[in-house]
Amino acid sequence: MGELNMKCTNCGGQLHLIIELIDLPREALPGAVRPRDLQYNDERECICASCRQKAIPTNRRDDEKHDEARRFREELDFPSAIGSYTDIINETSIDAEAYWFRALSRQGIAGGHAEDDPLIFFSAPTEHYLKDDEDVQSAYEVVVDPYQKEQMQKDVQMLDKIRDDYLDVKNKKPYQVYLCGDLDSMDSSLADTVDSIFDMLNKEKIVYTSVGRNPAENCYARNTAKIMIACGMLSQVDKTERKFFEKRATENNECRVICVATEFGKTAAGVALHDIWENADDPACVQNVMERIREIYPKQQVIVQGGDTIIINDDHTKEAIKHAYDCFMQKDFKNAKASAEKALQNGSTDVPCAFIKAYYHSYVENTSNRNAMELFFKQSYPRLNDEDLLKMKNLFLISMYQIMPFEERALRLLVNSNKGYEGMGAFVDSFSANLIPKQTGISFLTPGLLSLYKDLAKANTLPKTCLALMKAINTNSDSPIPNNTFYLTDSVRAFYDRYFVPIGGVINAMKDDATRTKYVAVYENELRKYKNKMF
């Protein structure tokens, strides 16, 4: 076996043979070891004096082989890693890590050397579950530390779930562009450039995704996208992802890495001589990046993706999207739904089409499924382009009374794509101002909707919406005014606290102009009259 390595692989502490410690008194035990720790299943079993993890020591030659195999996995050279682990297993059949990492290497999984080094699929998962892998079973049998075995079992469960998720994901059309980099820690100059790249990708209907999706989605993107945009400084995981793309680029001339970094951050970003580098400080940077992308994906052949799925922007899909919208606006809901489904079945994630389909299932078909609209508003959508934003406004207006329970979520969807509250006034005064008189009771005025009204009023004034809120003081079914029920003191107080006072915040938030002055005076007059009757 050669010279044994008596250093703990977990913390670097000194290993001690348990069988030699059994008869020692408590005060003579090394380090943190206690008598209750001195249980073993194998006479070769050792315990670390520092962290008390148990292990069977390896020989130093095996450690060198492990280092070699680890380097192969970090370089994503999985066949060579398998060869190194096989050499270790042939020499000693009790090395749990060798069995474990050989099984992972067969699946194309890198990482897992430390708690902050996540296990990541780089190759497409095989048809076989890890739980059924003979090497995994061997690792379970020979691993000494129960905690390490438990962690292996958790990892197997997680990785097998990713494998199942991948089988669902791989039925999608391929990604085209994959972005990586720590978008949250960029300086303002680089962040502005990256935001402009995102906007251009959306505007020109380019398929893209970025780090942060579920692991199966990431794996699929890495194996299908032909372009990687590496933005700014990269984490260790980002660097490994880039390495994977560089490897693909050597095998496929169409694959390439585009680095976007400032001149100052070029070295920190790890820009190599062979990389395509675009200076984020260059005004032409965004346009240059788009030209690089068009070299691979000409504009007329572009595939569109938004959110978690993909849109194929071909003529047939475009026609179906347009037909669905036109039919809906003419209240031909059946044909609108049919065209929307056609576009979605082609791989489209057109948000107006998704809304049209949900509307039909919720409010038109005989066996209506109200959950369809609930599910629509629960989804996360990418920022809409100007054309789709206008479409959604029109769709919401024509269907406002049906989707009244979703008022707040509809407004937030539009605000998120509008890049803020300004410019939303005309829509809100056509939408919310007409919904408020139709509301039964005051439960519709949730804290979220109230906050939204305030922000919108501050940016747009909203004269019609604010007027509707004040008129409801005298008409809402929860108000004591229409039927003069001021003797119901609890209800009177509730209306005051939950409606009268809160809408004052909306009216006072209006832009400081003549309209606000007039509205505030009317509101305060109504407030005085109400208080006189209440008290």
Side-chain angles (χ1 to χ4, degrees):
M1 286 282 292
E3 182 185 359
L4 291 179
N5 181 6
M6 298 300 287
K7 291 291 183 184
C8 174
T9 58
N10 184 52
C11 72
Q14 184 67 30
L15 293 177
H16 296 267
L17 197 62
I18 293 177
I19 199 170
E20 293 178 353
L21 304 178
I22 291 283
D23 297 326
L24 294 179
R26 180 188 180 94
E27 60 271 15
L29 293 176
V33 177
R34 298 292 177 264
R36 66 175 179 272
D37 301 325
L38 302 179
Q39 299 175 7
Y40 63 92
N41 298 313
D42 190 300
E43 292 184 351
R44 297 164 297 177
E45 208 167 317
C46 294
I47 187 169
C48 174
S50 300
C51 70
R52 294 156 58 196
Q53 178 168 297
K54 295 176 182 178
I56 294 176
T58 58
N59 66 53
R60 296 194 183 279
R61 180 181 176 280
D62 287 346
D63 287 345
E64 292 171 1
K65 273 289 184 182
H66 268 293
D67 289 341
E68 176 186 73
R70 182 180 293 111
R71 286 194 297 273
F72 284 137
R73 289 181 69 234
E74 287 172 352
E75 294 295 325
L76 307 178
D77 183 358
F78 295 112
S80 297
I82 291 171
S84 295
Y85 289 126
T86 301
D87 289 344
I88 298 171
I89 292 168
N90 287 340
E91 184 156 335
T92 172
S93 60
I94 60 168
D95 194 316
E97 284 201 359
Y99 284 116
W100 173 248
F101 284 117
R102 186 168 72 170
L104 297 188
S105 297
R106 267 196 230 99
Q107 292 272 8
I109 300 170
H113 299 302
E115 287 187 8
D116 59 350
D117 185 16
L119 293 169
I120 296 177
F121 278 101
F122 280 90
S123 302
T126 69
E127 295 179 358
H128 306 291
Y129 285 104
L130 268 172
K131 66 180 181 181
D132 300 326
D133 192 289
E134 291 183 0
D135 277 348
V136 170
Q137 297 304 318
S138 296
Y140 289 165
E141 291 173 7
V142 301
V143 69
V144 173
D145 191 281
Y147 171 79
Q148 191 177 1
K149 181 177 181 179
E150 182 183 352
Q151 188 59 48
M152 285 179 175
Q153 290 169 332
K154 288 180 179 178
D155 287 343
V156 165
Q157 189 175 16
M158 175 196 71
L159 292 166
D160 280 346
K161 183 182 184 306
I162 294 173
R163 173 201 170 278
D164 284 340
D165 292 344
Y166 186 89
L167 295 179
D168 295 330
V169 171
K170 76 173 187 177
N171 293 322
K172 297 180 179 181
K173 300 297 187 297
Y175 287 91
Q176 268 51 55
V177 177
Y178 187 52
L179 295 97
C180 76
D182 188 354
L183 305 183
D184 294 328
S185 64
M186 295 178 182
D187 61 51
S188 57
S189 173
L190 180 57
D192 289 344
T193 299
V194 173
D195 281 343
S196 297
I197 291 174
F198 277 127
D199 289 342
M200 189 64 75
L201 291 173
N202 282 324
K203 181 179 179 181
E204 297 204 8
K205 311 289 189 186
I206 304 293
V207 173
Y208 72 93
T209 186
S210 57
V211 174
R213 297 185 178 279
N214 66 66
E217 196 90 20
N218 277 348
C219 180
Y220 184 67
R222 279 190 296 268
N223 282 277
T224 57
K226 292 183 179 179
I227 295 174
M228 178 184 200
I229 302 178
C231 307
M233 295 183 66
L234 305 180
S235 68
Q236 190 57 49
V237 171
D238 293 331
K239 289 176 181 176
T240 308
E241 300 224 3
R242 199 182 84 174
K243 195 177 297 179
F244 180 74
F245 263 83
E246 289 170 348
K247 182 181 177 184
R248 285 185 60 207
T250 61
E251 300 167 354
N252 184 341
N253 290 332
E254 286 191 327
C255 292
R256 62 189 58 180
V257 176
I258 304 172
C259 294
V260 178
T262 62
E263 180 74 50
F264 176 78
K266 184 178 178 182
T267 302
V271 178
L273 291 176
H274 62 276
D275 286 336
I276 299 170
W277 171 58
E278 294 296 346
N279 188 344
D281 291 331
D282 184 348
C285 175
V286 176
Q287 194 57 42
N288 291 342
V289 169
M290 298 307 297
E291 289 300 324
R292 302 281 191 188
I293 293 172
R294 290 192 199 105
E295 290 173 8
I296 303 297
Y297 301 109
K299 198 168 182 179
Q300 68 272 18
Q301 297 177 5
V302 159
I303 296 175
V304 182
Q305 174 171 350
D308 290 333
T309 52
I310 299 171
I311 304 170
I312 303 175
N313 198 15
D314 57 38
D315 290 339
H316 295 297
T317 305
K318 283 182 179 179
E319 184 179 338
I321 290 171
K322 182 179 184 303
H323 189 254
Y325 174 76
D326 290 343
C327 286
F328 193 93
M329 294 306 294
Q330 296 166 18
K331 298 191 176 182
D332 181 0
F333 300 122
K334 185 175 181 180
N335 283 321
K337 189 268 294 189
S339 292
E341 283 189 334
K342 179 181 178 182
L344 296 170
Q345 287 167 1
N346 282 349
S348 169
T349 54
D350 183 75
V351 179
C353 280
F355 174 81
I356 290 167
K357 180 181 176 183
Y359 181 92
Y360 184 87
H361 289 308
S362 292
Y363 307 112
V364 179
E365 67 181 356
N366 293 331
T367 56
S368 61
N369 174 15
R370 295 302 171 91
N371 286 336
M373 191 57 70
E374 178 76 27
L375 291 173
F376 170 81
F377 281 110
K378 278 185 176 180
Q379 295 296 317
S380 174
Y381 297 106
R383 183 184 295 166
L384 302 175
N385 58 38
D386 291 343
E387 180 184 355
D388 285 346
L389 180 60
L390 178 60
K391 281 184 178 180
M392 290 307 300
K393 287 180 179 179
N394 291 335
L395 291 172
F396 287 164
L397 287 174
I398 200 173
S399 61
M400 71 171 84
Y401 298 120
Q402 285 74 27
I403 66 168
M404 188 162 64
F406 305 101
E407 178 189 1
E408 179 186 345
R409 284 188 268 185
L411 290 174
R412 290 203 182 278
L413 188 154
L414 298 178
V415 166
N416 290 340
S417 289
N418 193 63
K419 302 181 185 179
Y421 301 99
E422 291 186 4
M424 287 285 293
F427 172 79
V428 178
D429 269 352
S430 297
F431 185 66
S432 297
N434 285 305
L435 294 182
I436 291 167
K438 302 290 184 180
Q439 298 288 359
T440 302
I442 60 174
S443 59
F444 79 96
L445 194 64
T446 62
L449 183 58
L450 182 67
S451 173
L452 197 52
Y453 280 164
K454 287 180 183 177
D455 290 331
L456 287 163
K458 191 182 299 182
N460 303 277
T461 298
L462 303 185
K464 292 182 180 178
T465 303
C466 289
L467 182 60
L469 288 170
M470 287 196 293
K471 283 185 175 180
I473 293 170
N474 297 298
T475 59
N476 188 276
S477 60
D478 280 348
S479 171
I481 295 175
N483 297 310
N484 196 27
T485 54
F486 281 90
Y487 59 88
L488 300 173
T489 55
D490 288 345
S491 298
V492 171
R493 185 74 201 192
F495 187 77
Y496 177 80
D497 291 338
R498 293 170 50 205
Y499 187 82
F500 218 128
V501 173
I503 69 165
V506 180
I507 293 161
N508 278 285
M510 297 169 71
K511 284 185 177 179
D512 193 9
D513 56 14
T515 304
R516 175 183 176 278
T517 302
K518 182 172 69 175
Y519 277 41
V520 169
V522 172
Y523 170 78
E524 289 179 349
N525 183 52
E526 292 290 333
L527 185 62
R528 277 193 301 273
K529 290 192 295 184
Y530 192 91
K531 281 183 176 180
N532 289 336
K533 292 184 179 181
M534 183 171 69
F535 300 114

